[in-house]
Amino acid sequence: MSLAESRPRPDGPARGRPRSEAVERAILEGVMKLLEDGVPLAELSIERVARTAGVGKATIYRRWSGKEELFVDVMRAAEPPDPVLPGTSMRDDLVALLESLRRRGLVSRSAILHNVYAQMKSSPRIWSAYHAAVVEPRRALGLDVLRRGQRDGELRADIDLELANDMFVGPMLVRAVLRPEGELPEGLAETIVDTVLEGLRPVSSTAS
């Protein structure tokens, strides 16, 4: 199955006039087809995307302000959707977040996406747009989970939350990004969360 055949439709606020799902899907799949054909990001002009998708440039600009915003939606569509947190405990929410990261790591190991991520990081404007729209909200969500856990007594009050977030996310990122040969088995999210929590729970807390 190709990249252009296998992703859910991205969520996001409506821009301008009501969208046609068929037209929008054609545009997203047009970008994905170009990527699959090996077209570098630097050569992915709006004009070229429009020609591939069979639409006019104005149709694209009614939905996206430019290539950076369009590409963020393309990457959102290629990646697994962000998780719905169970909200039952800090531990359960952290597991859901890390499981989502594990699945994104598996997807990013495809030759196409691996190449796309590398190109994206070399393009300051595209990476900045992706980071602001996708990476930062995900990190903020993790910090919110830890903040609630600290408030509810599930996490030591003296812990630096930024550091704690890195301690949870870091091991999964090492496996997913820095060690492409590293295994990403089912259950890894639970193992990481439970291992880190052993050192971060309040002393009086009883492990569940």
Side-chain angles (χ1 to χ4, degrees):
M1 181 177 293
S2 73
L3 182 63
E5 295 172 335
S6 61
R7 75 245 86 227
R9 186 186 183 283
D11 295 324
R15 303 179 183 91
R17 68 185 62 183
R19 295 181 173 190
S20 162
E21 183 174 343
V23 169
E24 188 165 309
R25 181 176 295 277
I27 294 168
L28 294 177
E29 291 185 350
V31 176
M32 293 170 182
K33 181 181 186 304
L34 290 169
L35 294 172
E36 289 169 351
D37 289 344
V39 178
L41 285 181
E43 298 178 16
L44 275 181
S45 65
I46 293 296
E47 182 176 6
R48 190 166 188 175
V49 171
R51 186 167 60 249
T52 302
V55 301
K57 289 195 296 182
T59 300
I60 296 178
Y61 281 119
R62 280 198 295 269
R63 291 159 171 81
W64 295 277
S65 63
K67 185 170 76 172
E68 293 79 17
E69 189 177 71
L70 168 59
F71 195 71
V72 167
D73 275 0
V74 169
M75 294 310 296
R76 278 176 169 163
E79 297 175 341
D82 289 337
V84 176
L85 302 184
T88 50
S89 68
M90 179 187 69
R91 186 260 184 196
D92 292 345
D93 286 351
L94 288 171
V95 168
L97 288 173
L98 263 65
E99 174 60 16
S100 176
L101 181 56
R102 184 186 74 88
R103 293 183 179 181
R104 290 199 300 273
L106 289 171
V107 169
S108 69
R109 287 182 172 181
S110 71
I112 295 170
L113 277 183
H114 184 75
N115 180 48
V116 169
Y117 280 120
Q119 291 187 67
M120 184 168 61
K121 290 180 180 179
S122 68
S123 173
R125 291 181 63 182
I126 292 178
W127 176 248
S128 178
Y130 177 80
H131 195 273
V134 179
V135 177
E136 289 182 4
R138 287 172 179 166
R139 181 171 181 81
L141 183 59
L143 288 169
D144 283 345
V145 169
L146 293 174
R147 195 172 292 113
R148 291 197 305 271
Q150 201 171 52
R151 180 198 64 199
D152 296 339
E154 298 176 88
L155 191 67
R156 280 168 36 196
D158 62 332
I159 293 295
D160 181 314
L161 296 185
E162 290 277 354
L163 176 59
N165 194 50
D166 290 343
M167 292 171 69
F168 284 107
V169 174
M172 191 69 79
L173 284 178
V174 167
R175 287 285 185 95
V177 179
L178 299 181
R179 290 183 54 202
E181 80 289 350
E183 295 183 356
L184 289 169
E186 291 187 12
L188 181 59
E190 289 91 338
T191 299
I192 292 173
V193 169
D194 291 339
T195 299
V196 176
L197 276 180
E198 283 300 313
L200 299 184
R201 283 196 181 96
V203 175
S204 60
S205 176
T206 302
S208 57

